[in-house]
PDB file of all heavy atoms in Angstrom:
ATOM      1  N   LEU M   9      -7.623  35.256  54.982  1.00  0.00           N
ATOM      2  CA  LEU M   9      -7.193  36.478  54.290  1.00  0.00           C
ATOM      3  C   LEU M   9      -6.661  36.067  52.902  1.00  0.00           C
ATOM      4  O   LEU M   9      -5.875  35.143  52.808  1.00  0.00           O
ATOM      5  CB  LEU M   9      -6.004  37.147  55.039  1.00  0.00           C
ATOM      6  CG  LEU M   9      -6.137  37.307  56.531  1.00  0.00           C
ATOM      7  CD1 LEU M   9      -4.849  37.998  57.116  1.00  0.00           C
ATOM      8  CD2 LEU M   9      -7.336  38.176  56.936  1.00  0.00           C
ATOM      9  N   ALA M  10      -7.106  36.713  51.803  1.00  0.00           N
ATOM     10  CA  ALA M  10      -6.749  36.332  50.516  1.00  0.00           C
ATOM     11  C   ALA M  10      -6.640  37.581  49.627  1.00  0.00           C
ATOM     12  O   ALA M  10      -7.323  38.518  49.823  1.00  0.00           O
ATOM     13  CB  ALA M  10      -7.716  35.335  49.897  1.00  0.00           C
ATOM     14  N   SER M  11      -5.749  37.463  48.597  1.00  0.00           N
ATOM     15  CA  SER M  11      -5.587  38.543  47.656  1.00  0.00           C
ATOM     16  C   SER M  11      -5.631  38.029  46.192  1.00  0.00           C
ATOM     17  O   SER M  11      -5.311  38.821  45.262  1.00  0.00           O
ATOM     18  CB  SER M  11      -4.212  39.260  47.840  1.00  0.00           C
ATOM     19  OG  SER M  11      -4.109  39.898  49.077  1.00  0.00           O
ATOM     20  N   GLY M  12      -6.028  36.802  45.972  1.00  0.00           N
ATOM     21  CA  GLY M  12      -5.915  36.299  44.618  1.00  0.00           C
ATOM     22  C   GLY M  12      -7.136  35.434  44.250  1.00  0.00           C
ATOM     23  O   GLY M  12      -8.300  35.708  44.601  1.00  0.00           O
ATOM     24  N   VAL M  35     -11.431  37.895  54.409  1.00  0.00           N
ATOM     25  CA  VAL M  35     -11.041  39.305  54.442  1.00  0.00           C
ATOM     26  C   VAL M  35     -10.089  39.557  53.238  1.00  0.00           C
ATOM     27  O   VAL M  35      -9.137  38.828  53.046  1.00  0.00           O
ATOM     28  CB  VAL M  35     -10.290  39.696  55.781  1.00  0.00           C
ATOM     29  CG1 VAL M  35      -9.791  41.086  55.736  1.00  0.00           C
ATOM     30  CG2 VAL M  35     -11.241  39.433  56.940  1.00  0.00           C
ATOM     31  N   VAL M  36     -10.447  40.570  52.428  1.00  0.00           N
ATOM     32  CA  VAL M  36      -9.628  40.858  51.239  1.00  0.00           C
ATOM     33  C   VAL M  36      -9.226  42.338  51.293  1.00  0.00           C
ATOM     34  O   VAL M  36      -9.859  43.152  51.995  1.00  0.00           O
ATOM     35  CB  VAL M  36     -10.412  40.556  49.924  1.00  0.00           C
ATOM     36  CG1 VAL M  36     -10.719  39.113  49.798  1.00  0.00           C
ATOM     37  CG2 VAL M  36     -11.720  41.410  49.879  1.00  0.00           C
ATOM     38  N   ASP M  37      -8.199  42.695  50.512  1.00  0.00           N
ATOM     39  CA  ASP M  37      -7.804  44.078  50.484  1.00  0.00           C
ATOM     40  C   ASP M  37      -8.376  44.801  49.223  1.00  0.00           C
ATOM     41  O   ASP M  37      -8.228  45.994  49.070  1.00  0.00           O
ATOM     42  CB  ASP M  37      -6.251  44.203  50.478  1.00  0.00           C
ATOM     43  CG  ASP M  37      -5.586  43.399  49.381  1.00  0.00           C
ATOM     44  OD1 ASP M  37      -6.128  42.313  49.025  1.00  0.00           O
ATOM     45  OD2 ASP M  37      -4.508  43.819  48.901  1.00  0.00           O
ATOM     46  N   LYS M  38      -8.971  43.991  48.312  1.00  0.00           N
ATOM     47  CA  LYS M  38      -9.571  44.548  47.077  1.00  0.00           C
ATOM     48  C   LYS M  38     -10.491  43.500  46.540  1.00  0.00           C
ATOM     49  O   LYS M  38     -10.502  42.334  46.985  1.00  0.00           O
ATOM     50  CB  LYS M  38      -8.555  45.020  46.071  1.00  0.00           C
ATOM     51  CG  LYS M  38      -7.635  43.857  45.625  1.00  0.00           C
ATOM     52  CD  LYS M  38      -6.447  44.323  44.875  1.00  0.00           C
ATOM     53  CE  LYS M  38      -5.532  43.166  44.532  1.00  0.00           C
ATOM     54  NZ  LYS M  38      -4.207  43.524  44.212  1.00  0.00           N
ATOM     55  N   GLU M  39     -11.207  43.836  45.471  1.00  0.00           N
ATOM     56  CA  GLU M  39     -12.087  42.838  44.833  1.00  0.00           C
ATOM     57  C   GLU M  39     -11.253  41.810  44.075  1.00  0.00           C
ATOM     58  O   GLU M  39     -10.463  42.216  43.187  1.00  0.00           O
ATOM     59  CB  GLU M  39     -13.021  43.521  43.818  1.00  0.00           C
ATOM     60  CG  GLU M  39     -13.989  42.679  43.083  1.00  0.00           C
ATOM     61  CD  GLU M  39     -15.081  42.090  43.902  1.00  0.00           C
ATOM     62  OE1 GLU M  39     -15.518  42.763  44.910  1.00  0.00           O
ATOM     63  OE2 GLU M  39     -15.580  41.048  43.603  1.00  0.00           O
ATOM     64  N   VAL M  40     -11.301  40.592  44.450  1.00  0.00           N
ATOM     65  CA  VAL M  40     -10.501  39.518  43.912  1.00  0.00           C
ATOM     66  C   VAL M  40     -11.361  38.279  43.643  1.00  0.00           C
ATOM     67  O   VAL M  40     -12.462  38.173  44.222  1.00  0.00           O
ATOM     68  CB  VAL M  40      -9.351  39.143  44.853  1.00  0.00           C
ATOM     69  CG1 VAL M  40      -8.305  40.254  44.916  1.00  0.00           C
ATOM     70  CG2 VAL M  40      -9.811  38.711  46.250  1.00  0.00           C
ATOM     71  N   GLU M  55     -14.058  43.694  53.047  1.00  0.00           N
ATOM     72  CA  GLU M  55     -12.957  44.324  52.250  1.00  0.00           C
ATOM     73  C   GLU M  55     -12.310  45.435  53.125  1.00  0.00           C
ATOM     74  O   GLU M  55     -13.020  46.296  53.640  1.00  0.00           O
ATOM     75  CB  GLU M  55     -13.467  44.934  50.943  1.00  0.00           C
ATOM     76  CG  GLU M  55     -12.373  45.379  50.061  1.00  0.00           C
ATOM     77  CD  GLU M  55     -12.912  45.853  48.690  1.00  0.00           C
ATOM     78  OE1 GLU M  55     -13.897  45.339  48.204  1.00  0.00           O
ATOM     79  OE2 GLU M  55     -12.240  46.747  48.093  1.00  0.00           O
ATOM     80  N   VAL M  56     -11.017  45.326  53.290  1.00  0.00           N
ATOM     81  CA  VAL M  56     -10.266  46.322  54.030  1.00  0.00           C
ATOM     82  C   VAL M  56      -9.237  46.898  53.040  1.00  0.00           C
ATOM     83  O   VAL M  56      -8.068  46.439  52.973  1.00  0.00           O
ATOM     84  CB  VAL M  56      -9.515  45.713  55.267  1.00  0.00           C
ATOM     85  CG1 VAL M  56      -8.826  46.801  56.062  1.00  0.00           C
ATOM     86  CG2 VAL M  56     -10.506  44.966  56.142  1.00  0.00           C
ATOM     87  N   PRO M  57      -9.596  47.944  52.259  1.00  0.00           N
ATOM     88  CA  PRO M  57      -8.728  48.482  51.272  1.00  0.00           C
ATOM     89  C   PRO M  57      -7.480  49.080  51.907  1.00  0.00           C
ATOM     90  O   PRO M  57      -7.511  49.634  53.020  1.00  0.00           O
ATOM     91  CB  PRO M  57      -9.559  49.570  50.559  1.00  0.00           C
ATOM     92  CG  PRO M  57     -10.929  49.388  51.042  1.00  0.00           C
ATOM     93  CD  PRO M  57     -10.891  48.674  52.361  1.00  0.00           C
ATOM     94  N   MET M  58      -6.326  48.930  51.204  1.00  0.00           N
ATOM     95  CA  MET M  58      -5.098  49.530  51.704  1.00  0.00           C
ATOM     96  C   MET M  58      -5.264  51.052  51.809  1.00  0.00           C
ATOM     97  O   MET M  58      -5.777  51.668  50.883  1.00  0.00           O
ATOM     98  CB  MET M  58      -3.940  49.137  50.767  1.00  0.00           C
ATOM     99  CG  MET M  58      -2.615  49.557  51.266  1.00  0.00           C
ATOM    100  SD  MET M  58      -2.335  49.342  53.009  1.00  0.00           S
ATOM    101  CE  MET M  58      -1.393  47.927  53.072  1.00  0.00           C
ATOM    102  N   LEU M  59      -4.832  51.651  52.910  1.00  0.00           N
ATOM    103  CA  LEU M  59      -4.868  53.063  53.110  1.00  0.00           C
ATOM    104  C   LEU M  59      -3.485  53.673  52.977  1.00  0.00           C
ATOM    105  O   LEU M  59      -2.433  52.972  53.084  1.00  0.00           O
ATOM    106  CB  LEU M  59      -5.457  53.354  54.514  1.00  0.00           C
ATOM    107  CG  LEU M  59      -6.747  52.750  54.884  1.00  0.00           C
ATOM    108  CD1 LEU M  59      -7.029  52.896  56.331  1.00  0.00           C
ATOM    109  CD2 LEU M  59      -7.901  53.395  54.008  1.00  0.00           C
ATOM    110  N   ARG M  60      -3.501  55.006  52.665  1.00  0.00           N
ATOM    111  CA  ARG M  60      -2.161  55.665  52.572  1.00  0.00           C
ATOM    112  C   ARG M  60      -1.400  55.595  53.881  1.00  0.00           C
ATOM    113  O   ARG M  60      -0.212  55.415  53.864  1.00  0.00           O
ATOM    114  CB  ARG M  60      -2.397  57.155  52.171  1.00  0.00           C
ATOM    115  CG  ARG M  60      -2.663  57.374  50.750  1.00  0.00           C
ATOM    116  CD  ARG M  60      -2.957  58.863  50.514  1.00  0.00           C
ATOM    117  NE  ARG M  60      -3.405  59.114  49.151  1.00  0.00           N
ATOM    118  CZ  ARG M  60      -2.597  59.380  48.152  1.00  0.00           C
ATOM    119  NH1 ARG M  60      -1.282  59.394  48.302  1.00  0.00           N
ATOM    120  NH2 ARG M  60      -3.082  59.613  46.912  1.00  0.00           N
ATOM    121  N   ARG M  62      -0.339  53.630  56.667  1.00  0.00           N
ATOM    122  CA  ARG M  62      -0.101  52.228  56.935  1.00  0.00           C
ATOM    123  C   ARG M  62      -0.580  51.785  58.377  1.00  0.00           C
ATOM    124  O   ARG M  62      -1.203  50.796  58.590  1.00  0.00           O
ATOM    125  CB  ARG M  62       1.395  51.943  56.745  1.00  0.00           C
ATOM    126  CG  ARG M  62       1.789  50.475  56.936  1.00  0.00           C
ATOM    127  CD  ARG M  62       1.118  49.647  55.971  1.00  0.00           C
ATOM    128  NE  ARG M  62       0.848  48.396  56.638  1.00  0.00           N
ATOM    129  CZ  ARG M  62       1.261  47.187  56.243  1.00  0.00           C
ATOM    130  NH1 ARG M  62       1.891  47.115  55.124  1.00  0.00           N
ATOM    131  NH2 ARG M  62       0.914  46.115  56.802  1.00  0.00           N
ATOM    132  N   TRP M  65      -4.285  51.565  58.545  1.00  0.00           N
ATOM    133  CA  TRP M  65      -4.729  50.316  57.951  1.00  0.00           C
ATOM    134  C   TRP M  65      -4.566  49.167  58.973  1.00  0.00           C
ATOM    135  O   TRP M  65      -5.461  48.351  59.083  1.00  0.00           O
ATOM    136  CB  TRP M  65      -3.995  50.048  56.651  1.00  0.00           C
ATOM    137  CG  TRP M  65      -4.491  48.822  55.904  1.00  0.00           C
ATOM    138  CD1 TRP M  65      -5.603  48.662  55.106  1.00  0.00           C
ATOM    139  CD2 TRP M  65      -3.854  47.486  55.954  1.00  0.00           C
ATOM    140  NE1 TRP M  65      -5.684  47.375  54.654  1.00  0.00           N
ATOM    141  CE2 TRP M  65      -4.641  46.676  55.173  1.00  0.00           C
ATOM    142  CE3 TRP M  65      -2.715  46.968  56.623  1.00  0.00           C
ATOM    143  CZ2 TRP M  65      -4.348  45.278  54.949  1.00  0.00           C
ATOM    144  CZ3 TRP M  65      -2.442  45.626  56.439  1.00  0.00           C
ATOM    145  CH2 TRP M  65      -3.255  44.800  55.587  1.00  0.00           C
ATOM    146  N   ASP M  66      -3.438  49.141  59.622  1.00  0.00           N
ATOM    147  CA  ASP M  66      -3.214  48.046  60.621  1.00  0.00           C
ATOM    148  C   ASP M  66      -4.268  48.116  61.719  1.00  0.00           C
ATOM    149  O   ASP M  66      -4.748  47.075  62.165  1.00  0.00           O
ATOM    150  CB  ASP M  66      -1.803  48.223  61.253  1.00  0.00           C
ATOM    151  CG  ASP M  66      -0.701  47.724  60.309  1.00  0.00           C
ATOM    152  OD1 ASP M  66      -0.969  46.905  59.452  1.00  0.00           O
ATOM    153  OD2 ASP M  66       0.461  48.232  60.451  1.00  0.00           O
ATOM    154  N   MET M  69      -7.460  46.708  60.366  1.00  0.00           N
ATOM    155  CA  MET M  69      -7.378  45.321  60.199  1.00  0.00           C
ATOM    156  C   MET M  69      -7.456  44.586  61.536  1.00  0.00           C
ATOM    157  O   MET M  69      -8.179  43.619  61.729  1.00  0.00           O
ATOM    158  CB  MET M  69      -6.033  44.934  59.521  1.00  0.00           C
ATOM    159  CG  MET M  69      -5.877  43.516  59.195  1.00  0.00           C
ATOM    160  SD  MET M  69      -7.187  42.827  58.068  1.00  0.00           S
ATOM    161  CE  MET M  69      -6.398  43.015  56.528  1.00  0.00           C
ATOM    162  N   SER M  83      -3.617  33.318  56.543  1.00  0.00           N
ATOM    163  CA  SER M  83      -3.212  34.147  55.428  1.00  0.00           C
ATOM    164  C   SER M  83      -2.946  33.179  54.236  1.00  0.00           C
ATOM    165  O   SER M  83      -1.934  32.508  54.232  1.00  0.00           O
ATOM    166  CB  SER M  83      -1.957  34.981  55.762  1.00  0.00           C
ATOM    167  OG  SER M  83      -1.474  35.652  54.650  1.00  0.00           O
ATOM    168  N   ALA M  84      -3.842  33.160  53.294  1.00  0.00           N
ATOM    169  CA  ALA M  84      -3.797  32.231  52.192  1.00  0.00           C
ATOM    170  C   ALA M  84      -3.662  32.961  50.892  1.00  0.00           C
ATOM    171  O   ALA M  84      -4.671  33.274  50.221  1.00  0.00           O
ATOM    172  CB  ALA M  84      -5.053  31.335  52.186  1.00  0.00           C
ATOM    173  N   GLY M  85      -2.394  33.308  50.550  1.00  0.00           N
ATOM    174  CA  GLY M  85      -2.228  34.091  49.371  1.00  0.00           C
ATOM    175  C   GLY M  85      -2.552  35.578  49.555  1.00  0.00           C
ATOM    176  O   GLY M  85      -2.993  36.219  48.647  1.00  0.00           O
ATOM    177  N   PHE M  86      -2.366  36.024  50.807  1.00  0.00           N
ATOM    178  CA  PHE M  86      -2.676  37.492  51.107  1.00  0.00           C
ATOM    179  C   PHE M  86      -1.418  38.241  50.875  1.00  0.00           C
ATOM    180  O   PHE M  86      -0.401  37.963  51.513  1.00  0.00           O
ATOM    181  CB  PHE M  86      -3.135  37.591  52.591  1.00  0.00           C
ATOM    182  CG  PHE M  86      -3.735  38.941  52.926  1.00  0.00           C
ATOM    183  CD1 PHE M  86      -4.840  39.429  52.231  1.00  0.00           C
ATOM    184  CD2 PHE M  86      -3.166  39.682  53.922  1.00  0.00           C
ATOM    185  CE1 PHE M  86      -5.356  40.708  52.560  1.00  0.00           C
ATOM    186  CE2 PHE M  86      -3.708  40.951  54.294  1.00  0.00           C
ATOM    187  CZ  PHE M  86      -4.767  41.467  53.579  1.00  0.00           C
ATOM    188  N   MET M  87      -1.398  39.254  49.983  1.00  0.00           N
ATOM    189  CA  MET M  87      -0.229  39.908  49.558  1.00  0.00           C
ATOM    190  C   MET M  87       0.076  41.209  50.280  1.00  0.00           C
ATOM    191  O   MET M  87       0.742  42.083  49.827  1.00  0.00           O
ATOM    192  CB  MET M  87      -0.264  40.176  48.014  1.00  0.00           C
ATOM    193  CG  MET M  87      -0.431  38.939  47.205  1.00  0.00           C
ATOM    194  SD  MET M  87       0.743  37.646  47.576  1.00  0.00           S
ATOM    195  CE  MET M  87       2.224  38.310  46.832  1.00  0.00           C
ATOM    196  N   ARG M  88      -0.428  41.245  51.500  1.00  0.00           N
ATOM    197  CA  ARG M  88      -0.148  42.469  52.350  1.00  0.00           C
ATOM    198  C   ARG M  88       0.614  41.981  53.588  1.00  0.00           C
ATOM    199  O   ARG M  88       0.245  40.904  54.198  1.00  0.00           O
ATOM    200  CB  ARG M  88      -1.432  43.111  52.764  1.00  0.00           C
ATOM    201  CG  ARG M  88      -2.223  43.682  51.590  1.00  0.00           C
ATOM    202  CD  ARG M  88      -1.550  44.862  50.910  1.00  0.00           C
ATOM    203  NE  ARG M  88      -2.378  45.452  49.879  1.00  0.00           N
ATOM    204  CZ  ARG M  88      -1.938  46.427  49.087  1.00  0.00           C
ATOM    205  NH1 ARG M  88      -0.737  46.923  49.190  1.00  0.00           N
ATOM    206  NH2 ARG M  88      -2.735  46.908  48.144  1.00  0.00           N
ATOM    207  N   VAL M  89       1.550  42.735  54.025  1.00  0.00           N
ATOM    208  CA  VAL M  89       2.222  42.417  55.269  1.00  0.00           C
ATOM    209  C   VAL M  89       1.479  43.022  56.492  1.00  0.00           C
ATOM    210  O   VAL M  89       1.171  44.219  56.511  1.00  0.00           O
ATOM    211  CB  VAL M  89       3.718  42.988  55.242  1.00  0.00           C
ATOM    212  CG1 VAL M  89       4.423  42.700  56.611  1.00  0.00           C
ATOM    213  CG2 VAL M  89       4.496  42.354  54.129  1.00  0.00           C
ATOM    214  N   LEU M  90       1.096  42.216  57.442  1.00  0.00           N
ATOM    215  CA  LEU M  90       0.347  42.639  58.599  1.00  0.00           C
ATOM    216  C   LEU M  90       1.352  43.300  59.576  1.00  0.00           C
ATOM    217  O   LEU M  90       2.459  42.806  59.789  1.00  0.00           O
ATOM    218  CB  LEU M  90      -0.334  41.490  59.260  1.00  0.00           C
ATOM    219  CG  LEU M  90      -1.385  40.741  58.430  1.00  0.00           C
ATOM    220  CD1 LEU M  90      -1.792  39.435  59.040  1.00  0.00           C
ATOM    221  CD2 LEU M  90      -2.573  41.662  58.158  1.00  0.00           C
ATOM    222  N   GLY M  91       0.955  44.466  60.151  1.00  0.00           N
ATOM    223  CA  GLY M  91       1.799  45.188  61.039  1.00  0.00           C
ATOM    224  C   GLY M  91       2.005  44.480  62.372  1.00  0.00           C
ATOM    225  O   GLY M  91       1.238  43.577  62.731  1.00  0.00           O
ATOM    226  N   VAL M  94      -1.003  43.926  64.723  1.00  0.00           N
ATOM    227  CA  VAL M  94      -1.922  42.848  64.322  1.00  0.00           C
ATOM    228  C   VAL M  94      -1.343  41.487  64.612  1.00  0.00           C
ATOM    229  O   VAL M  94      -1.975  40.629  65.225  1.00  0.00           O
ATOM    230  CB  VAL M  94      -2.235  42.943  62.785  1.00  0.00           C
ATOM    231  CG1 VAL M  94      -3.244  41.903  62.407  1.00  0.00           C
ATOM    232  CG2 VAL M  94      -2.740  44.349  62.424  1.00  0.00           C
ATOM    233  N   VAL M  95      -0.073  41.351  64.289  1.00  0.00           N
ATOM    234  CA  VAL M  95       0.645  40.040  64.542  1.00  0.00           C
ATOM    235  C   VAL M  95       0.661  39.707  65.963  1.00  0.00           C
ATOM    236  O   VAL M  95       0.332  38.576  66.373  1.00  0.00           O
ATOM    237  CB  VAL M  95       2.076  40.103  63.981  1.00  0.00           C
ATOM    238  CG1 VAL M  95       2.828  38.909  64.352  1.00  0.00           C
ATOM    239  CG2 VAL M  95       2.020  40.207  62.407  1.00  0.00           C
ATOM    240  N   LEU M 102      -2.162  32.866  64.057  1.00  0.00           N
ATOM    241  CA  LEU M 102      -2.062  33.495  62.729  1.00  0.00           C
ATOM    242  C   LEU M 102      -1.055  32.705  61.923  1.00  0.00           C
ATOM    243  O   LEU M 102       0.166  32.697  62.324  1.00  0.00           O
ATOM    244  CB  LEU M 102      -1.645  34.958  62.886  1.00  0.00           C
ATOM    245  CG  LEU M 102      -1.395  35.761  61.666  1.00  0.00           C
ATOM    246  CD1 LEU M 102      -2.566  35.829  60.654  1.00  0.00           C
ATOM    247  CD2 LEU M 102      -0.992  37.249  62.075  1.00  0.00           C
ATOM    248  N   ASN M 104       0.495  31.469  57.880  1.00  0.00           N
ATOM    249  CA  ASN M 104       0.648  31.934  56.508  1.00  0.00           C
ATOM    250  C   ASN M 104       1.183  30.773  55.619  1.00  0.00           C
ATOM    251  O   ASN M 104       1.908  29.934  56.154  1.00  0.00           O
ATOM    252  CB  ASN M 104       1.660  33.094  56.431  1.00  0.00           C
ATOM    253  CG  ASN M 104       1.870  33.617  55.081  1.00  0.00           C
ATOM    254  OD1 ASN M 104       0.937  33.925  54.311  1.00  0.00           O
ATOM    255  ND2 ASN M 104       3.164  33.735  54.613  1.00  0.00           N
ATOM    256  N   ALA M 116       7.458  38.434  47.847  1.00  0.00           N
ATOM    257  CA  ALA M 116       6.294  38.299  46.938  1.00  0.00           C
ATOM    258  C   ALA M 116       6.558  37.523  45.644  1.00  0.00           C
ATOM    259  O   ALA M 116       5.626  37.135  44.964  1.00  0.00           O
ATOM    260  CB  ALA M 116       5.752  39.702  46.647  1.00  0.00           C
ATOM    261  N   VAL M 137       2.998  33.410  61.775  1.00  0.00           N
ATOM    262  CA  VAL M 137       3.407  34.769  61.346  1.00  0.00           C
ATOM    263  C   VAL M 137       4.045  35.497  62.499  1.00  0.00           C
ATOM    264  O   VAL M 137       3.530  35.462  63.612  1.00  0.00           O
ATOM    265  CB  VAL M 137       2.189  35.543  60.799  1.00  0.00           C
ATOM    266  CG1 VAL M 137       2.633  36.995  60.421  1.00  0.00           C
ATOM    267  CG2 VAL M 137       1.640  34.837  59.583  1.00  0.00           C
ATOM    268  N   ASP M 138       5.201  36.121  62.293  1.00  0.00           N
ATOM    269  CA  ASP M 138       5.803  37.028  63.244  1.00  0.00           C
ATOM    270  C   ASP M 138       5.934  38.425  62.637  1.00  0.00           C
ATOM    271  O   ASP M 138       5.355  38.629  61.530  1.00  0.00           O
ATOM    272  CB  ASP M 138       7.099  36.473  63.791  1.00  0.00           C
ATOM    273  CG  ASP M 138       8.234  36.387  62.692  1.00  0.00           C
ATOM    274  OD1 ASP M 138       7.999  36.885  61.538  1.00  0.00           O
ATOM    275  OD2 ASP M 138       9.321  35.883  63.006  1.00  0.00           O
ATOM    276  N   GLY M 140       8.285  39.825  61.048  1.00  0.00           N
ATOM    277  CA  GLY M 140       9.115  39.925  59.813  1.00  0.00           C
ATOM    278  C   GLY M 140       8.297  39.463  58.605  1.00  0.00           C
ATOM    279  O   GLY M 140       7.167  39.128  58.712  1.00  0.00           O
ATOM    280  N   VAL M 141       8.988  39.488  57.480  1.00  0.00           N
ATOM    281  CA  VAL M 141       8.334  39.025  56.208  1.00  0.00           C
ATOM    282  C   VAL M 141       8.753  37.579  55.970  1.00  0.00           C
ATOM    283  O   VAL M 141       9.900  37.308  55.635  1.00  0.00           O
ATOM    284  CB  VAL M 141       8.714  39.914  55.008  1.00  0.00           C
ATOM    285  CG1 VAL M 141       8.107  39.385  53.719  1.00  0.00           C
ATOM    286  CG2 VAL M 141       8.288  41.341  55.237  1.00  0.00           C
ATOM    287  N   ASP M 142       7.808  36.614  56.125  1.00  0.00           N
ATOM    288  CA  ASP M 142       8.082  35.255  55.886  1.00  0.00           C
ATOM    289  C   ASP M 142       9.191  34.711  56.768  1.00  0.00           C
ATOM    290  O   ASP M 142      10.003  33.828  56.388  1.00  0.00           O
ATOM    291  CB  ASP M 142       8.368  34.921  54.397  1.00  0.00           C
ATOM    292  CG  ASP M 142       7.259  35.343  53.495  1.00  0.00           C
ATOM    293  OD1 ASP M 142       6.102  35.207  53.891  1.00  0.00           O
ATOM    294  OD2 ASP M 142       7.511  35.822  52.365  1.00  0.00           O
TER     295      ASP M 142
END
Side-chain angles (χ1 to χ4, degrees):
L9 315 178
S11 295
V35 177
V36 296
D37 55 328
K38 59 189 176 202
E39 181 71 29
V40 292
E55 189 174 329
V56 184
M58 186 41 101
L59 302 170
R60 281 178 188 269
R62 181 61 217 237
W65 183 80
D66 284 335
M69 185 60 93
S83 174
F86 190 59
M87 302 308 287
R88 300 290 184 184
V89 176
L90 299 168
V94 182
V95 171
L102 176 56
N104 180 50
V137 177
D138 67 6
V141 177
D142 300 325

